[in-house]
Amino acid sequence: MRLPALFRRREVWVPTPWGLLLIVGAVAALIVAFALNAYAFLSPHQPALGRDGRGAHTLVIEGWMPEAEVAQAIPFIRAGHYDRVLTTGPPINPLMDYGGWHTYAARAAAVLRRNGIAEPLVTTVDSPTVRRDRTYTMAVSVRDWAARSNVQLEAIDLFSVGVHTRRSRMTYRLALGPEVEVGTVVAWPIEYDPSRWWASSEGARATLYEFFGLAWTACCIWP
């Protein structure tokens, strides 16, 4: 009685030195292309057109950003056509010293008012504390505020920072629905140089994290 064969011979293809060089060159080219284009892809500056072609009348500012990044919205507010500015954000951890502000939305509004943005223009939209899907929760808070206030959001401009912008836009589109046009206005990140994001741990961490976050939002967040 013959025992079954435990091994069999197969032909295996391996690259030649020239083939290996070509593979390494192609991988290197992909890495360089990724490094040069990642920031531009993740941070699209694309304000909404609006139904009348004059742009969005509502600007939504993500209030969790550092004050210096929030302040970058001021020139857009002064030069724009906004009827209202909404600042969003959850409660601030009381152990963190943010000048006595209880929410990131209130802190962002204070930054705007301190720099001369008129009080009636700015409205705070607080969101609850959650462990995950924080941006989606803030977007839902904006949607609920509009419903309570009888405000029809035909188009908004979302003010976010750097590589977080594309994921925020996707999230707001999920929360607000296809009938609301979501444009983007981008703040320049203060913690790293976007043109060389790979040269600092802050830039690399933020960029790679947002790529994974974008994939997670596209695949796993459902309204």
Side-chain angles (χ1 to χ4, degrees):
M1 180 177 176
R2 295 182 60 184
L3 295 175
L6 300 180
F7 300 94
R8 63 180 176 178
R9 182 178 179 181
R10 283 191 172 183
E11 184 177 6
V12 178
W13 289 80
V14 295
T16 65
W18 284 108
L20 183 61
L21 183 63
L22 179 63
I23 293 172
V24 171
V27 171
L30 288 174
I31 293 174
V32 171
F34 172 80
L36 294 177
N37 295 286
Y39 181 83
F41 173 75
L42 292 172
S43 57
H45 183 86
Q46 297 171 344
L49 293 176
R51 292 185 182 180
D52 57 4
R54 299 176 59 188
H57 298 288
T58 301
L59 178 68
V60 179
I61 298 177
E62 297 193 300
W64 53 263
M65 295 183 290
E67 291 189 24
E69 292 172 352
V70 172
Q72 293 180 44
I74 293 169
F76 295 101
I77 297 171
R78 288 175 174 163
H81 34 70
Y82 301 114
D83 297 329
R84 66 189 66 88
V85 176
L86 309 180
T87 58
T88 66
I92 297 174
N93 187 328
L95 298 179
M96 302 172 67
D97 182 15
Y98 274 116
W101 302 109
H102 298 297
T103 68
Y104 288 98
R107 188 199 62 161
V111 172
L112 301 181
R113 292 165 181 149
R114 190 165 61 238
N115 285 274
I117 302 302
E119 179 86 19
L121 188 65
V122 182
T123 300
T124 59
V125 181
D126 298 330
S127 60
T129 300
V130 293
R131 291 181 176 271
R132 53 182 288 182
D133 300 336
R134 289 181 293 271
T135 301
Y136 182 76
T137 302
M138 288 186 284
V140 169
S141 297
V142 169
R143 183 189 69 194
D144 293 345
W145 171 87
R148 291 193 308 269
S149 306
N150 293 319
V151 173
Q152 186 175 5
L153 297 177
E154 297 178 352
I156 69 168
D157 280 340
L158 177 62
F159 189 81
S160 189
V161 59
V163 292
H164 187 66
T165 304
R166 182 173 288 273
R167 181 159 66 100
S168 282
R169 181 177 67 179
M170 180 184 293
T171 304
Y172 269 77
R173 284 174 173 172
L174 288 172
L176 300 180
E179 65 277 5
V180 180
E181 180 187 2
V182 181
T184 52
V185 180
V186 185
W188 187 269
I190 62 173
E191 295 182 342
Y192 61 92
D193 180 1
S195 64
R196 300 182 70 253
W197 59 265
W198 60 87
S200 68
S201 60
E202 294 85 357
R205 182 169 58 249
T207 302
L208 297 177
Y209 176 84
E210 288 302 333
F211 261 106
F212 286 112
L214 188 66
W216 166 262
T217 300
C219 131
C220 304
I221 293 183
W222 298 90

